[in-house]
Amino acid sequence: MRRVADAEGGRPAGVPGADRPAGVAEGLGSPPAAFPSGHGGFLGGEFGRHGAPEAFAKALRAALEA
């Protein structure tokens, strides 16, 4: 079985593009999965970017198990 899910990177309301994940998810018929720290949320300081790897992993596991 294949499933398509939309994800959002925790942009605050009012930031350009913040409403797009919700719109796509609505079209897919499911809520978007929220991931902390945006696209680099899984990074723990590598490449000069600091995300929230533990919180990102928890959110990813929840999205995959849904």
Side-chain angles (χ1 to χ4, degrees):
M1 171 167 70
R2 292 183 187 205
R3 184 173 70 111
V4 176
D6 191 43
E8 61 185 3
R11 289 183 180 186
V15 172
D19 59 340
R20 290 185 187 133
V24 172
E26 183 179 330
L28 293 171
S30 62
F35 292 92
S37 300
H39 288 99
F42 56 89
L43 294 173
E46 306 85 70
F47 311 109
R49 295 198 57 189
H50 294 274
E54 291 179 19
F56 187 93
K58 184 177 178 181
L60 179 59
R61 180 170 301 280
L64 294 174
E65 292 175 349

